[in-house]
Amino acid sequence: MPLTPEQTEPVLDREAIAAIDPTDQLTDVLALPEHVRDALWKADSANLGEWDSPGGLIVAGMGSSALGGALAGAALGDHASRPVFSARAYGLPAYTTPDTTVLCCSYSGDTEETLACFEAAGALGARRVVATSGGRLAAEAREEGVPVIPVAGGLRGFAAIGYMLVAALEVAAACGAGPHLTSELDVAAEHLEELVVEWGPEGTEDSDVKVLARALQGTVPVIVGAGITTPVAHRWKGQINRLARVPSFASELPEADHHEIAGWERAEDLGRFSAVFLDDSDLHPRVLARIALTREIVERHSAGTHVLTSRGQTAVERVLSLVLAGDLVALYLAVLQGIDPAAPSCVEQLKGDLQG
């Protein structure tokens, strides 16, 4: 199904969005360019210095905080000189050594899994850096002399993705895992400003992002990434889950073509599923062929298939373009369903139950 509007109502302008979004989450989504610039300044203010970590970098965190590390790895791509891993658990991977740098990311500073990783890294003697807006993590880091990259307060954790991506890139450069991408991030922020105009509420109603949000309404979206768009697919999935309160799943090509694709044969018997393929200009030619062929197969059994291609020249530009697109699709989808994107969810209930 091509990205052509099936309907033009309801209009996704500021007035319509404000009626559903009383805490103005839209502004935080549209502020991604400013977040990237502010994150660079904040990382510089941390005076990290430089050191050599032969074991590479592990980014420990949960949700969007961990995803910053995965996006950083995608943005670095072939320019990474050491491995960049993510740890999303109560402990660090078994291969963590004192020669590894561990970046502990938690927006609130109170994420229990990240606090456990911070302690584990200290016990191993690994070099530690923290990215947070405060909480226990900031307090413990400062008490132990661990550098803290500050993150702006007043946001919801998932809106701080720009800060977490920049923190991971800056620590990767500091520990020798990759080059500095400061100039690339500056250019990416300028490019994002152009996309905010095109895709934001002032953009036309037939923009790709608004049309896609309408097309996904009433479906269970499966977001399919490949190469550098794989972590972005997980970002889309998480934002659709959290903002729009819709089941959504992330997948990856070419792996999805070896088992998962067979499951689509019965998808229409179980519900209305849709697929979004996140394309990129630097994907392997065989992956591009797989996107086209996989889409043909899925189309027969789904409520619709869609392709959205990254925008920009550098990898960091292209990654951030799709992050912005996914955040807007999720927010627009929430508005179309009449759901306040910042309303309390079962996530908060679960955290409360665990503490009780």
Side-chain angles (χ1 to χ4, degrees):
M1 181 185 297
L3 285 179
T4 55
E6 298 178 0
Q7 61 184 62
T8 57
E9 296 293 335
V11 173
L12 290 167
D13 60 12
R14 281 192 182 270
E15 183 179 359
I17 294 168
I20 307 298
D21 178 28
T23 59
D24 197 17
Q25 297 303 301
L26 173 66
T27 291
D28 290 339
V29 170
L30 298 180
L32 183 57
E34 289 79 11
H35 290 174
V36 170
R37 292 192 182 100
D38 188 45
L40 280 168
W41 182 86
K42 283 180 164 55
D44 185 61
S45 73
N47 297 314
L48 294 178
E50 294 188 351
W51 62 93
D52 185 43
S53 286
L57 171 65
I58 293 176
V59 180
M62 303 301 295
S64 296
S65 296
L67 198 54
L71 293 172
L76 285 168
D78 294 339
H79 297 294
S81 52
R82 303 268 169 76
V84 178
F85 301 109
S86 295
R88 298 176 173 90
Y90 284 95
L92 297 169
Y95 49 76
T96 310
T97 71
D99 290 330
T100 306
T101 292
V102 179
L103 170 62
C104 296
C105 297
S106 167
Y107 181 73
S108 68
D110 295 316
T111 307
E112 62 183 33
E113 297 95 331
T114 310
L115 288 164
C117 287
F118 179 80
E119 181 180 352
L124 280 171
R127 186 144 189 168
R128 293 175 291 177
V129 181
V130 159
T132 184
S133 66
R136 266 185 64 194
L137 186 59
E140 291 184 12
R142 292 188 172 109
E143 183 178 335
E144 298 184 37
V146 173
V148 176
I149 299 175
V151 178
L155 302 172
R156 293 177 70 84
F158 50 75
I161 188 67
Y163 288 95
M164 297 306 181
L165 166 60
V166 171
L169 286 172
E170 289 294 285
V171 174
C175 75
H180 284 282
L181 295 182
T182 306
S183 60
E184 287 89 343
L185 285 164
D186 283 331
V187 172
E190 292 180 8
H191 184 231
L192 284 170
E193 288 177 335
E194 298 172 3
L195 295 178
V196 163
V197 173
E198 179 181 344
W199 291 339
E202 277 78 31
T204 62
E205 291 302 311
D206 62 352
S207 72
D208 286 350
V209 169
K210 290 184 180 181
V211 170
L212 180 55
R214 292 190 182 96
L216 296 181
Q217 189 177 8
T219 73
V220 176
V222 178
I223 315 301
V224 186
I228 72 168
T229 73
T230 297
V232 187
H234 287 275
R235 171 67 175 182
W236 278 54
K237 172 254 184 197
Q239 288 294 82
I240 292 171
N241 292 156
R242 190 69 184 261
L243 300 185
R245 312 296 162 87
V246 171
S248 181
F249 303 92
S251 187
E252 177 183 3
L253 285 172
E255 174 62 29
D257 282 350
H258 291 268
H259 292 291
E260 183 179 317
I261 192 172
W264 283 96
E265 293 179 6
R266 290 199 59 239
E268 57 196 328
D269 298 332
L270 302 174
R272 300 188 73 241
F273 289 81
S274 59
V276 179
F277 296 86
L278 300 182
D279 196 1
D280 180 71
S281 60
D282 200 36
L283 291 180
H284 192 285
R286 295 297 292 171
V287 173
L288 293 174
R290 285 180 178 274
I291 288 176
L293 294 171
T294 304
R295 185 183 184 188
E296 286 182 13
I297 293 171
V298 172
E299 178 75 31
R300 302 176 202 140
H301 308 287
S302 68
T305 63
H306 317 274
V307 175
L308 193 66
T309 304
S310 63
R311 303 269 287 273
Q313 299 298 315
T314 66
V316 70
E317 271 187 87
R318 302 197 309 273
V319 165
L320 280 167
S321 75
L322 286 178
V323 169
L324 175 64
D327 287 5
L328 282 169
V329 165
L331 188 134
Y332 289 154
L333 192 55
V335 171
L336 290 167
Q337 298 177 119
I339 294 173
D340 177 359
S345 73
C346 57
V347 173
E348 288 75 29
Q349 177 187 337
L350 178 59
K351 288 180 180 179
D353 291 345
L354 284 169
Q355 290 174 355

